Amino acid sequence: MIAAFNEGKVIRSVVSEVAAQGYSVVVVDDGSRDDTATAARVPGVTVLEHAINLGQGAALQTGIEFALRRKATAIVTFDADGQHCIEDVPSLLAALTTHDIVLGSRFLGKEIVGASKRRKALLRVATLMSNKMSGLQLTDAHCGLRAFRASAAPKLTITQDRMAHASQLLHKIKSSGLRVTEVPVTVKYTAHSMQKGQGGFQAIRILFDYFFRPS
């Protein structure tokens, strides 16, 4: 499940790589102003479109609901900007045999490609803050590469439309009693993803938006 907004430059290569592994892929184009929806239409990929930009949380929820209607048994969320590696998906799915939710972690031994020491430090600070607020003990707060059983979806309904959905998910995981684990994943900070603001301060802002701003 790939939520995308103005990713026309990279989305075709991302979805083509995922679809080539035999996975059923749904892209939710969240009201993009470029050719994201058109570029994403490759064999094996279903594209849904929001008429206006509603935010990543809303796009993910649209994709999740579509997957459930299609009788999916497991759902993987995968970023549209080329940060994630398709080679990491099998380990997430394997961990679902014993857990309900599997979260990717940038800090469990794999690489964070293109990240400065400052960025890594900010991400660690965001994780410490998130753990304190959510009550979970994780090594990574907001990695977008995650998997969960379809049966867990009703307890993880996203109502935060924008980026604060990431903190909301952690809060719901804690309150749900669902079994959660982390697996190591590689994340690549590219020039494209950095342009879109994917950094340490962004992770801290997500926490602020969820815990300190009214819904």
Side-chain angles (χ1 to χ4, degrees):
M1 216 302 296
I2 301 175
F5 176 64
N6 291 343
E7 298 288 3
K9 293 179 180 179
V10 299
I11 190 67
R12 182 176 291 272
S13 63
V14 172
V15 299
S16 296
E17 185 178 31
V18 177
Q21 299 303 311
Y23 299 116
S24 298
V25 183
V26 56
V27 173
V28 180
D29 174 36
D30 188 31
S32 295
R33 296 185 294 271
D34 65 2
D35 64 344
T36 293
T38 300
R41 288 191 172 92
V42 301
V45 177
T46 299
V47 178
L48 309 178
E49 296 183 62
H50 284 172
I52 59 173
N53 177 246
L54 298 176
Q56 190 180 54
L60 287 172
Q61 188 60 35
T62 294
I64 290 166
E65 290 172 2
F66 176 84
L68 293 176
R69 290 197 299 272
R70 291 296 182 94
K71 307 301 182 184
T73 57
I75 298 169
V76 177
T77 64
F78 197 91
D79 282 358
D81 58 8
Q83 282 194 336
H84 296 156
C85 296
I86 190 62
E87 293 82 6
D88 288 326
V89 171
S91 63
L92 271 75
L93 294 175
L96 285 180
T97 60
T98 53
H99 294 81
D100 302 300
I101 304 160
V102 183
L103 305 176
S105 173
R106 293 164 279 195
F107 296 105
L108 282 178
K110 286 203 174 184
E111 292 183 88
I112 307 179
V113 179
S116 65
K117 290 182 179 179
R118 176 174 172 272
R119 186 176 302 278
K120 291 177 184 179
L122 284 169
L123 290 169
R124 289 189 184 277
V125 168
T127 299
L128 289 173
M129 292 173 60
S130 176
N131 286 345
K132 186 173 181 63
M133 294 173 180
S134 69
L136 295 170
Q137 291 302 311
L138 302 173
T139 63
D140 197 347
H142 295 131
C143 180
L145 184 53
R146 58 178 85 86
F148 51 93
R149 296 182 181 187
S151 58
K155 294 185 178 181
L156 301 173
T157 301
I158 299 169
T159 58
Q160 291 280 346
D161 289 346
R162 300 199 176 271
M163 294 303 291
H165 77 275
S167 294
Q168 184 186 40
L169 274 176
L170 298 183
H171 183 76
K172 289 198 169 192
I173 289 170
K174 175 63 177 178
S175 62
S176 69
L178 295 170
R179 297 167 299 170
V180 60
T181 190
E182 294 179 286
V183 299
V185 299
T186 296
V187 172
K188 301 171 288 185
Y189 285 96
T190 64
H192 175 74
S193 65
M194 299 281 277
Q195 266 187 338
K196 295 176 70 67
Q198 299 301 314
F201 280 120
Q202 172 80 343
I204 292 173
R205 192 177 75 182
I206 290 168
L207 288 166
F208 181 86
D209 284 348
Y210 178 63
F211 287 101
F212 298 111
R213 290 186 182 178
S215 301

